[in-house]
Amino acid sequence: MSIEAYIKNDILQRRLAESSVMVVYDKDIRYRGICTDLASDTCTIIDVSEGSLLTRQQGIKVLSQLFSGQQLLIYVPKRAPLEEEEKQKDPFALYAVAGSIFPDPERSGDNYIDICLKAKPDQATEIRALFEKNNHPSFDVINAMGGGANWPTLQAALGVEGAVNILFRLMVASYEAQAKLATQESWLSEAQSLFSSVLGMTLRTKQTNCSAVADELWRFVLFSEFVFDLNKDDIPASLTDVPRAKESARPIVEDLGDNLRKHIDYQNLYIERAETIEKEFSLDTVCANILNLGRRDTFPFEERCYLKQAINALLTGDGDSTRTFINEHANSVWSAKSDSQANWELIKSAQRLTETCDDLMRELNAYNKSQSTLIEFYQTSLRKADQLHREFEQAVNDCPDIEELMPGGIDQIRKVYRSLVESVQLKFTSFVDNTGWPPQDFLSNTQVFDTKVEPLLKNSGYRVAYMMVDALRYELGYELNKQLSEDADTSLSIAFATLPSITPVGMASLLPNASQKLSVSLVDGKSKALFDDKAVSDVSSRMKVFSSQFGDRFQEMELRMFVKPNKKADAVINPTTDLLVLRSTEIDSYFENHPDDAPSMMQRELRFIRRAVNKLQDQGFQKVIIATDHGFYMNNAQEAGDLVSKPDGDWKVEHDRILLGNGNLDAHHYSLSAEQCGIQTDITKFSGPRSLAPYRRGKLYYHGGLSLQECLVPVIEITLKSTTIKSNRNICIHLDYKKGAKRVTTRFAVIELKLENLQQGMFDDPNEPTAIEILLEAHNSKNKVIGEAKPGQYVNSATGTILVEPGESIKVTLKMDPDFEGEFKVKAIDPVTSTVLGVPLELETDYAV
């Protein structure tokens, strides 16, 4: 293969396939012809040599219109910018950020001599000698260098040409290839010659079979790569005599290692081989004191070392180093191991949370001067901290060896979040103490039905669904709205919960005419929600309010029953129904009773809401309004003494977060009179902690009190379209577990997904994104969900959905029900229509006891 063909096929085309956009910087005008030769219907080449201004305009146009399967290469005849200031002045640097760069100054083996060595490893000695005399030999000179040795038997049996390709194929040789070699007498002598000339390796095994030779080659290549990555002074004495490659073979060794780890078909083989070799040399023990292991993920013990260094950087506030470790090692070949993926997800989640909290804390002073600006800041930015904290706690629950990994570190991360939200909380309660409740110029929950739903029902034949979702706090509503906006026209606004922010009062506040007819009272020492002076503390009494006002136009049912009706109950919507109330209590119920299972339960409930919207559209509804009674706060960051003492007086403590009645108060409490509460009441005072602390120790989840997390709630308005939501019926998701393995040996199984055949319609806009959103679930023989995708790099933490690009192959961890064992099916499911996309993957558990 010529040097030009190698650069075109093995470097430029391969990188374009990975990143779609690439900038080639070429101060020596060496690669221009190769770049222009890449032009095709799917690859646009912009040659900056032809003029900077026009090419800049063309680049922006092509990049903005780039869609799946299309590629953009920009050729720049100058040196690549290295310093940040240079990059800011370079108009083409942004394309490198969006895609890739060649030659990449941070990538090993991208300089010209290393490229020549990898293209022609047989002539390594001659090439090095040539470069000592001439730093810039032409392609013709390189191509004319000796014919080099050739290995016809190996080439014929393995079906490839070139030394590096032959080495690679020998390492991964199939049984068929090994059988071919076994029938040829000359293959072994050719292999010995190849190893010696290219790697400096002397074959030591006395066996003549391909398997034994491959074993030694694997050991030699992987150990050589490991040693090349170390400082020479760090090589343990016990390893100094272990055979390794000559220095001139370093680019070839590293190229082999990279390709073996990246090639999806051989990753499992690589993992098996690397683990075996690590044990043979006891590398984890003899290298235990080496602090700098380099940057390559050759052996599994290195990945663990990088993980610990990332944790140390995170906990010492070295954000740059943390990001470097994550970028270089979090998605290595070892991420296919479920515990590795869970560990890195925890670190990534912790880093996102701490950096976001630090940024928001710095910005807070600019937004805490008034109540309205603080509320606006929460909507736009602060709610992100709540989301990332929820994701972090979910990652903590999913991490198998959290205490070993981060002793004391989890509490340190939690304190960062707690510091931010407490600062916001104290300012917020101070505003409320002065202005009353709800905040001025904002919608109260008692006004939601009358302003959002009632006007729509005045139109004859207009059908409205009113979803009353328990504990849908604002950050969840924000994520849900993003998902729903992909299927329909949506808008998100806010309202404020009625005090006390508990379910009986909150759900009653969502009734018609609640602003006029709802009141709160203490009856026999318990708070009661009254509607027209009648108790509305349960579902039945609240639904009677709707029925008395709307008669046959009204119908209600549980959200789950509407989405998945069963034989015992009919979910048919009456033709006279103009107002359909759908009720959901799952989020609140699980957080109250099963907090460990609550995050996954929450994901399912949000998916049910999305499916319900799709079903409502099919049944002719024009509008959906989603409202909630209250939010919640996750109190995982509590500390010793993190408790508020109940003051003296005649107080009723409600949900450990609010006081109803009268009595003495100290500086740690806010106080609202009956007139300041925004609701009719005979209760003298509403009071509670200015902080986020409760009145009882051990509360990990709570609501009832006064905070932005508990009381600022989402209102989502959805305008349904007259056409059915587009189905993904032409989509096929291919699923695989360990290259065809059928037995799952861990409760965190890594499943590989690939979007195989996206059939784009002739009228589809090619500029529209073609990524597909799916769910990954494991079902038992009764079609019950017994495993779901664990939140991570590709899995949305709020909804559990996964975004897959056409042709992309990704790995997702399937978190299995710990109580389930037996046969099951893994399914890729359309989250809107519940259609199964592709053939389910049939597996069986085989857990180690």
Side-chain angles (χ1 to χ4, degrees):
M1 180 187 296
S2 69
I3 184 69
E4 297 97 327
Y6 176 80
I7 295 170
K8 176 182 177 181
N9 300 328
D10 287 43
I11 299 179
L12 300 185
Q13 285 188 337
R14 183 177 295 179
R15 293 189 192 176
L16 274 172
E18 293 174 354
S19 61
S20 299
V21 178
M22 181 165 61
V23 182
V24 175
Y25 287 99
D26 184 18
K27 68 181 180 65
D28 298 318
I29 321 297
R30 178 181 291 125
Y31 306 112
R32 185 181 182 187
I34 301 174
C35 291
T36 56
D37 194 43
L38 285 168
S40 67
D41 292 340
T42 58
C43 184
T44 300
I45 308 299
I46 296 178
D47 187 349
V48 178
S49 308
E50 299 172 358
S52 179
L53 180 59
L54 290 177
T55 52
R56 285 163 63 182
Q57 294 173 342
Q58 184 186 3
I60 293 172
K61 180 180 179 181
V62 174
L63 183 63
S64 65
Q65 297 177 351
L66 207 64
F67 58 92
S68 179
Q70 294 292 305
Q71 299 170 344
L72 169 63
L73 185 149
I74 298 179
Y75 175 81
V76 184
K78 68 175 186 178
R79 178 180 63 83
L82 300 177
E83 302 299 330
E84 194 61 36
E85 186 176 348
E86 288 182 293
K87 293 179 182 179
Q88 292 174 3
K89 294 178 180 179
D90 184 354
F92 301 101
L94 69 93
Y95 298 92
V97 174
S100 59
I101 183 176
F102 174 79
D104 188 342
E106 297 184 1
R107 192 164 185 158
S108 174
D110 257 15
N111 53 55
Y112 186 38
I113 184 173
D114 285 341
I115 292 172
C116 293
L117 288 169
K118 287 189 284 186
K120 286 184 164 291
D122 317 340
Q123 286 81 43
T125 302
E126 295 95 322
I127 288 174
R128 287 190 177 277
L130 174 64
F131 270 85
E132 287 179 3
K133 301 175 183 177
N134 177 7
N135 287 331
H136 305 287
S138 67
F139 291 155
D140 290 339
V141 171
I142 298 297
N143 290 330
M145 293 188 67
N150 63 60
W151 303 276
T153 305
L154 291 173
Q155 290 176 357
L158 299 174
V160 292
E161 295 181 357
V164 177
N165 291 331
I166 293 175
L167 288 170
F168 183 89
R169 287 298 168 187
L170 272 174
M171 296 177 77
V172 300
S174 63
Y175 291 118
E176 291 78 8
Q178 293 183 36
K180 282 185 180 180
L181 290 173
T183 63
Q184 306 291 326
E185 295 182 359
S186 59
W187 82 270
L188 186 57
S189 60
E190 288 184 9
Q192 290 171 326
S193 172
L194 171 65
F195 297 165
S196 176
S197 63
V198 175
L199 298 175
M201 171 185 171
T202 300
L203 196 61
R204 296 188 173 189
T205 180
K206 303 301 181 182
Q207 300 182 55
T208 59
N209 61 79
C210 186
S211 178
V213 172
D215 288 345
E216 187 169 340
L217 181 58
W218 271 97
R219 188 182 305 109
F220 187 88
V221 169
L222 266 58
F223 181 76
S224 297
E225 182 187 42
F226 173 68
V227 172
F228 282 140
D229 208 26
L230 290 177
N231 293 322
K232 292 182 179 179
D233 295 337
D234 288 336
I235 300 174
S238 62
L239 301 178
T240 54
D241 293 332
V242 177
R244 56 182 181 268
K246 57 187 179 183
E247 182 64 33
S248 62
R250 179 170 184 166
I252 298 160
V253 167
E254 291 179 346
D255 202 39
L256 282 169
D258 286 339
N259 289 334
L260 287 164
R261 286 186 291 271
K262 289 180 182 179
H263 202 301
I264 200 73
D265 291 336
Y266 304 118
Q267 284 184 348
N268 290 327
L269 174 62
Y270 180 91
I271 290 171
E272 179 184 330
R273 289 284 194 171
E275 289 178 334
T276 300
I277 295 167
E278 177 184 301
K279 291 178 182 178
E280 287 179 2
F281 291 123
S282 301
L283 292 178
D284 57 337
T285 302
V286 299
C287 300
N289 296 323
I290 300 177
L291 298 178
N292 182 11
L293 290 170
R295 302 177 64 176
R296 308 180 78 81
D297 294 282
T298 308
F299 294 110
F301 88 95
E302 293 182 274
E303 185 263 349
R304 189 77 173 183
C305 180
Y306 297 137
L307 182 71
K308 291 179 179 178
Q309 292 181 57
I311 291 171
N312 182 65
L314 173 73
L315 298 181
T316 56
D318 187 353
D320 290 340
S321 294
T322 307
R323 280 188 293 275
T324 298
F325 281 116
I326 290 174
N327 293 337
E328 292 184 356
H329 304 292
N331 298 314
S332 72
V333 66
W334 306 110
S335 66
K337 298 173 71 67
S338 57
D339 57 341
S340 171
Q341 191 174 77
N343 293 338
W344 281 108
E345 285 301 329
L346 175 63
I347 305 308
K348 287 190 282 187
S349 178
Q351 184 221 13
R352 289 192 296 265
L353 177 60
T354 53
E355 288 193 348
T356 299
C357 287
D358 288 342
D359 291 342
L360 292 173
M361 185 66 88
R362 285 191 292 269
E363 297 176 39
L364 183 58
N365 284 337
Y367 293 93
N368 65 5
K369 303 298 187 294
S370 70
Q371 187 180 56
S372 59
T373 55
L374 184 64
I375 292 171
E376 180 183 354
F377 188 42
Y378 183 83
Q379 285 180 262
T380 57
S381 302
L382 285 169
R383 50 100 192 150
K384 185 72 173 177
D386 292 336
Q387 175 197 338
L388 294 177
H389 172 246
R390 172 176 52 78
E391 292 176 1
F392 172 71
E393 295 300 339
Q394 195 165 345
V396 170
N397 289 337
D398 289 340
C399 193
D401 49 5
I402 180 62
E403 288 303 323
E404 179 188 345
L405 269 179
M406 296 177 69
I410 297 301
D411 289 339
Q412 181 177 328
I413 302 300
R414 287 169 172 165
K415 287 178 182 178
V416 175
Y417 169 71
R418 180 61 180 264
S419 177
L420 171 67
V421 295
E422 276 290 6
S423 298
V424 175
Q425 171 71 5
L426 293 174
K427 200 66 181 177
F428 180 64
T429 50
S430 175
F431 286 134
V432 173
D433 212 3
N434 294 326
T435 61
W437 189 259
Q440 297 175 5
D441 303 322
F442 290 95
L443 190 70
S444 167
N445 246 8
T446 58
Q447 301 168 315
V448 168
F449 187 90
D450 296 343
T451 58
K452 302 292 185 180
V453 182
E454 175 69 25
L456 300 173
L457 295 172
K458 293 179 180 179
N459 300 323
S460 177
Y462 202 90
R463 310 187 82 189
V464 182
Y466 188 39
M467 292 191 193
M468 302 170 71
V469 182
D470 199 348
L472 183 70
R473 75 174 181 180
Y474 183 75
E475 60 93 3
L476 286 177
Y478 183 90
E479 292 299 310
L480 175 61
N481 182 67
K482 283 200 303 185
Q483 296 288 316
L484 293 171
S485 65
E486 298 177 8
D487 308 324
D489 296 327
T490 70
S491 65
L492 173 68
S493 58
I494 63 167
F496 280 93
T498 305
L499 295 178
S501 54
I502 60 177
T503 298
V505 174
M507 285 299 181
S509 71
L510 298 175
L511 296 174
N513 301 315
S515 60
Q516 302 297 320
K517 297 184 178 183
L518 180 65
S519 63
V520 177
S521 183
L522 285 176
V523 179
D524 298 329
K526 297 181 180 180
S527 58
K528 293 286 185 181
L530 306 174
F531 194 90
D532 269 346
D533 297 324
K534 297 178 181 178
V536 283
S537 55
D538 57 20
V539 172
S540 177
S541 59
R542 291 193 289 268
M543 294 303 102
K544 285 180 181 178
V545 175
F546 287 109
S547 181
S548 64
Q549 182 166 335
F550 294 98
D552 291 344
R553 299 178 66 198
F554 162 73
Q555 190 175 350
E556 63 89 14
M557 65 182 66
E558 292 182 18
L559 174 69
R560 284 178 169 252
M561 194 60 65
F562 173 70
V563 176
K564 297 182 71 173
N566 58 36
K567 296 178 181 179
K568 296 180 180 180
D570 196 353
V572 175
I573 306 302
N574 299 327
T576 60
T577 298
D578 292 331
L579 172 62
L580 174 64
V581 173
L582 297 175
R583 299 178 285 103
S584 168
T585 61
E586 301 296 329
I587 297 175
D588 189 61
S589 175
Y590 266 78
F591 267 116
E592 291 278 11
N593 303 303
H594 309 284
D596 290 342
D597 297 328
S600 59
M601 183 62 249
M602 176 192 67
Q603 291 176 353
R604 294 181 203 175
E605 202 63 13
L606 297 188
R607 295 200 293 265
F608 272 121
I609 292 173
R610 190 172 179 186
R611 291 176 186 176
V613 170
N614 180 47
K615 192 170 182 179
L616 288 164
Q617 179 164 287
D618 290 343
Q619 297 199 13
F621 282 78
Q622 285 88 24
K623 202 85 170 184
V624 180
I625 308 295
I626 301 175
T628 187
D629 52 351
H630 57 74
F632 59 87
Y633 178 69
M634 297 173 65
N635 193 35
N636 307 82
Q638 59 185 313
E639 303 173 9
D642 188 8
L643 196 68
V644 178
S645 299
K646 177 187 173 184
D648 295 334
D650 184 17
W651 295 110
K652 154 66 177 172
V653 180
E654 187 66 77
H655 266 50
D656 298 302
R657 278 286 293 155
I658 195 167
L659 301 174
L660 306 175
N662 202 0
N664 298 323
L665 293 173
D666 56 26
H668 300 294
H669 287 76
Y670 66 85
S671 178
L672 298 173
S673 65
E675 292 75 21
Q676 292 178 298
C677 291
I679 191 172
Q680 299 177 57
T681 182
D682 57 6
I683 302 172
T684 305
K685 288 182 181 179
F686 285 54
S687 181
R690 290 182 180 274
S691 70
L692 283 164
Y695 289 108
R696 179 163 59 92
R697 201 181 310 278
K699 296 282 287 185
L700 297 179
Y701 160 87
Y702 55 64
H703 57 87
L706 179 64
S707 70
L708 288 166
Q709 287 82 3
E710 295 166 281
C711 295
L712 188 149
V713 293
V715 179
I716 303 175
E717 301 173 66
I718 307 164
T719 302
L720 300 178
K721 302 172 184 178
S722 57
T723 56
T724 303
I725 295 174
K726 185 167 61 177
S727 167
N728 289 327
R729 60 185 177 274
N730 291 329
I731 304 307
C732 179
I733 301 291
H734 176 73
L735 304 175
D736 184 47
Y737 175 66
K738 290 188 174 180
K739 297 301 169 191
K742 295 300 180 183
R743 293 183 178 272
V744 173
T745 57
T746 171
R747 286 177 172 82
F748 290 88
V750 178
I751 304 297
E752 184 181 322
L753 301 85
K754 186 172 183 180
L755 177 53
E756 287 205 315
N757 57 337
L758 176 59
Q759 299 178 8
Q760 192 173 39
M762 67 176 65
F763 299 111
D764 289 349
D765 185 352
N767 294 321
E768 285 295 316
T770 51
I772 300 302
E773 188 180 26
I774 67 164
L775 292 170
L776 186 70
E777 295 179 350
H779 293 181
N780 64 10
S781 58
K782 296 181 179 179
N783 212 33
K784 179 184 176 182
V785 177
I786 47 87
E788 294 179 292
K790 189 176 78 65
Q793 179 182 2
Y794 301 105
V795 184
N796 186 295
S797 64
T799 62
T801 53
I802 304 162
L803 209 59
V804 189
E805 297 281 351
E808 181 182 32
S809 181
I810 63 174
K811 293 180 178 179
V812 173
T813 298
L814 191 69
K815 183 181 179 182
M816 299 292 293
D817 183 337
D819 297 326
F820 173 81
E821 291 191 26
E823 296 180 350
F824 64 97
K825 293 182 179 180
V826 181
K827 301 176 182 178
I829 302 171
D830 187 316
V832 179
T833 64
S834 300
T835 306
V836 177
L837 308 173
V839 179
L841 179 63
E842 297 186 8
L843 298 173
E844 182 179 0
T845 62
D846 186 19
Y847 302 139
V849 178

